[in-house]
Amino acid sequence: MDMTSMLLLVFAALGIISSNTPVTVAMVFLLLLRVLNLNQAFPWLEKYGLTLGIIILTIGVMAPLASGKMSLQTIGESFLHWKSLLAIGVGLLVAYLGGRGATLMSTQPTVVAGLLIGTVLGVALFKGVPVGPLIAAGILSLLLGKS
């Protein structure tokens, strides 16, 4: 077995150990692409994978609005309460950091492994939630001074 496949297996194992299903599924999916010799998929995934993931995430976040579980009145009321206004501000900050993170991850792919390891360890050691690599990359870009 080649070193890349071994690394994917190690990340999958870390995903299992940390109960990080998205990491586990992603690593197994990528490993299957390698085993099935579907290498032509990798350039497409590298180019569009992050965008596709963000689209799916946005669909999941907006589903309560689309299903009617969140009314226009609820959205309007979010501008009247300080906690909701703070949530809007934090949402703006996180979106900004995510944008910086996406740029950093695409321009400096060497940081992706470190971000993934940090996220998996954060889930395993601190009972965190595996949503951090993009935001972590945004914070890293602030620390590195990269825009």
Side-chain angles (χ1 to χ4, degrees), residues 22-108:
V23 169
T24 304
V25 170
M27 295 307 114
V28 170
F29 177 80
L30 293 171
L31 187 59
L32 280 173
L33 288 179
R34 287 182 62 79
V35 169
L36 297 174
N37 205 25
L38 297 173
N39 296 330
Q40 66 273 17
F42 290 119
W44 188 90
L45 287 171
E46 289 172 17
K47 187 172 183 180
Y48 301 110
L50 186 58
T51 300
L52 181 62
I54 291 170
I55 290 168
I56 292 170
L57 181 63
T58 303
I59 290 169
V61 169
M62 296 303 290
L65 178 65
S67 70
K69 289 182 181 175
M70 183 185 296
S71 68
L72 253 50
Q73 179 182 352
T74 303
I75 294 170
E77 289 172 356
S78 68
F79 292 98
L80 302 175
H81 194 274
W82 73 269
K83 288 181 182 177
S84 296
L85 289 171
L86 184 59
I88 290 169
V90 169
L92 286 166
L93 176 63
V94 168
Y96 169 72
L97 289 173
R100 286 183 65 109
T103 300
L104 181 72
M105 290 172 79
S106 64
T107 59
Q108 295 188 32

